[in-house]
Amino acid sequence: MPRPREFEPDTVLNVAMLRFWERGYRATSIEDLVKATGVKPGSLYSAFPGGKHALFLKSLERYSKLVVPEKLGELEASGASVAEIRGYFDGLVRDLLSPEGRQGCLLVNTAIEKAAEDDGAAAVVRGHLARLERCMTHALENAARRGQVRASLDCPGSAKLLVATCQGLMVVGKANPDEALLRAIVDNAFAALG
Amino acid sequence: MPRPREFEPDTVLNVAMLRFWERGYRATSIEDLVKATGVKPGSLYSAFPGGKHALFLKSLERYSKLVVPEKLGELEASGASVAEIRGYFDGLVRDLLSPEGRQGCLLVNTAIEKAAEDDGAAAVVRGHLARLERCMTHALENAARRGQVRASLDCPGSAKLLVATCQGLMVVGKANPDEALLRAIVDNAFAALG
DNA sequence: GTTGTTCTTGAATGAGCGCTCATATATGTT
DNA sequence: AACATATATGAGCGCTCATTCAAGAACAAC
């Protein structure tokens, strides 16, 4: 009996995610989303109770579920090893050097912009970092078993370092998207495993 | 003959720097600075032509000149070696774990918040990263000469990696200020030099 | 066709934003 | 005292922000 909804909430959420990703939380206004989607403020607020902040948290979760797996690729597979870690880093570098990828990672940006003042956002970021660390640890353990890394390597510790390295890669890449610099960082990170 | 100025511009600049550091560019309003300093908008704008953005750039430069040298400490000395790099990293970890230091580094925060849209700010950030890289390279070369690192170490490349690592440390520390985690990152970064 | 329910609309709200300007004020010189 | 000059003041500019709400509109059930 009710009037049917004329827009797809997921479409709005997708636009919101992209805007938050590109410009950050504070720099993205509801007006932006209204213009980009054609959905008027009233409809937007009734579809997303909690307003802008709720929309932001949902965007973070959507990013985790849709974008992150795409970036991780085979690194999340159970057989992943050094090659898959390398593939992930190479993907990061490629993204940072491309015009569309300069925005970096929504979750890293959020860690800097909002983690200190927004526990909900910080929790999503921590979940992401933990997930990354899990992949890296698993891949390093596989590598150790196959003799692809030095025997003395502390796999869980090195995984934590690799996670930090890729966050750092994104900070450096954002200020200075220089291919030689980014490749040197990645190469030396891998040299340290051998 | 003119009426003398009743406030010290450097005091205002210092407050601005602290606010931008703690809360970021967008989240800091002129009204904030007016309240914090007692200096009224008109006086503020006449003392800092260019408004909020000029005040921000001046804050970045002030940070580079006053705060950064304090954090770098002996790492900028010509005799610096592995111990000084270690000292710098330990200082970062200490800061990230303390209530006052959770804001991280103004220049890293700026890299994420504004580098993509603000060339002036990005240039200051790049200058900072270059300075860090220079220190690290120099310290690693000293270390190599003293046999404190493995002979095969690529000093300039490892310096780039160390710079990225400390940026990553700050991202991780902001989302998850966990001592064991941060120490593990630092320990493994140094293990890789050995 | 009437009713009930949900959705859409877009003007309106009040607060806050960065910034300006006419006016008042404090000085050294004459 | 009167003046010239640089500063201080703070109300107020036009705008944007996130958010709300009363009114109209589209459907299914009856």
Side-chain angles (χ1 to χ4, degrees):
Chain A
M1 32 232 273
R3 175 174 179 174
R5 184 171 268 145
E6 292 175 6
F7 66 94
E8 186 55 55
D10 271 0
T11 306
V12 172
L13 190 51
N14 210 50
V15 169
M17 183 195 78
L18 290 172
R19 294 276 173 174
F20 287 137
W21 190 2
E22 280 169 12
R23 323 226 300 118
Y25 180 78
R26 271 182 223 267
T28 300
S29 70
I30 297 294
E31 175 73 5
D32 283 340
L33 306 180
V34 169
K35 274 184 185 150
T37 60
V39 176
K40 303 293 179 286
S43 301
L44 212 155
Y45 275 85
S46 79
F48 296 95
K52 186 184 180 183
H53 187 252
L55 207 40
F56 180 62
L57 290 182
K58 277 193 183 296
S59 294
L60 293 184
E61 281 153 19
R62 186 179 178 82
Y63 182 89
S64 271
K65 287 205 183 82
L66 293 186
V67 179
V68 172
E70 195 180 300
K71 304 271 179 199
L72 288 175
E74 292 300 308
L75 184 53
E76 283 196 307
S78 67
S81 182
V82 172
E84 283 74 20
I85 301 180
R86 180 93 210 186
Y88 175 66
F89 274 89
D90 287 344
L92 288 184
V93 171
R94 202 183 320 117
D95 281 351
L96 288 168
L97 295 173
S98 82
E100 322 86 49
R102 288 232 310 165
Q103 54 216 342
C105 168
L106 172 58
L107 293 161
V108 174
N109 300 352
T110 298
I112 296 295
E113 188 190 353
K114 282 198 73 62
E117 69 184 55
D118 181 340
D119 277 351
V124 179
V125 173
R126 278 193 298 273
H128 172 66
L129 294 178
R131 176 186 187 177
L132 250 182
E133 187 182 328
R134 218 178 307 123
C135 293
M136 296 281 190
T137 305
H138 185 73
L140 285 179
E141 283 168 349
N142 278 342
R145 223 170 289 125
R146 298 177 201 170
Q148 297 174 326
V149 294
R150 63 174 203 272
S152 64
L153 194 77
D154 167 13
C155 291
S158 292
K160 291 177 176 65
L161 173 59
L162 286 176
V163 170
T165 303
C166 70
Q167 316 306 314
L169 195 66
M170 272 178 299
V171 174
V172 172
K174 205 139 183 180
N176 194 9
D178 176 88
E179 176 155 16
L181 172 59
L182 301 181
R183 295 247 177 259
I185 292 170
V186 174
D187 287 345
N188 276 275
F190 279 86
L193 301 175
Chain B
M1 42 253 261
R3 174 175 181 173
R5 184 170 265 147
E6 294 174 6
F7 65 94
E8 186 55 56
D10 271 2
T11 306
V12 172
L13 191 51
N14 210 50
V15 169
M17 184 195 77
L18 290 171
R19 294 278 174 174
F20 287 137
W21 190 1
E22 280 168 10
R23 325 226 297 117
Y25 180 77
R26 271 180 222 268
T28 301
S29 71
I30 298 294
E31 173 76 3
D32 284 341
L33 305 180
V34 169
K35 275 185 184 150
T37 61
V39 176
K40 302 295 179 285
S43 302
L44 211 154
Y45 276 86
S46 80
F48 296 96
K52 185 184 181 183
H53 187 252
L55 208 40
F56 180 62
L57 291 182
K58 278 193 182 300
S59 294
L60 293 184
E61 281 152 20
R62 186 178 178 82
Y63 182 89
S64 271
K65 286 205 183 83
L66 293 186
V67 179
V68 171
E70 196 181 301
K71 305 271 179 199
L72 287 176
E74 293 301 308
L75 184 52
E76 282 197 305
S78 67
S81 182
V82 173
E84 283 74 21
I85 301 180
R86 180 91 209 188
Y88 174 67
F89 273 90
D90 287 344
L92 287 184
V93 170
R94 201 183 321 115
D95 282 350
L96 287 168
L97 294 173
S98 82
E100 321 88 50
R102 288 232 310 162
Q103 54 215 342
C105 168
L106 171 57
L107 293 162
V108 174
N109 300 352
T110 298
I112 296 294
E113 188 190 352
K114 282 198 73 63
E117 70 186 54
D118 181 341
D119 276 351
V124 180
V125 173
R126 278 193 299 272
H128 172 66
L129 295 178
R131 177 185 188 177
L132 251 181
E133 187 183 327
R134 218 177 307 123
C135 293
M136 295 282 188
T137 304
H138 185 75
L140 284 179
E141 283 167 351
N142 278 341
R145 224 169 288 127
R146 298 177 201 170
Q148 296 173 328
V149 295
R150 63 173 205 273
S152 64
L153 194 76
D154 167 13
C155 292
S158 292
K160 291 175 176 65
L161 173 59
L162 285 176
V163 170
T165 304
C166 71
Q167 316 306 314
L169 197 65
M170 274 179 296
V171 174
V172 172
K174 205 139 185 182
N176 194 9
D178 178 87
E179 177 155 16
L181 171 60
L182 300 181
R183 294 249 176 258
I185 291 169
V186 175
D187 287 345
N188 277 274
F190 280 86
L193 301 176

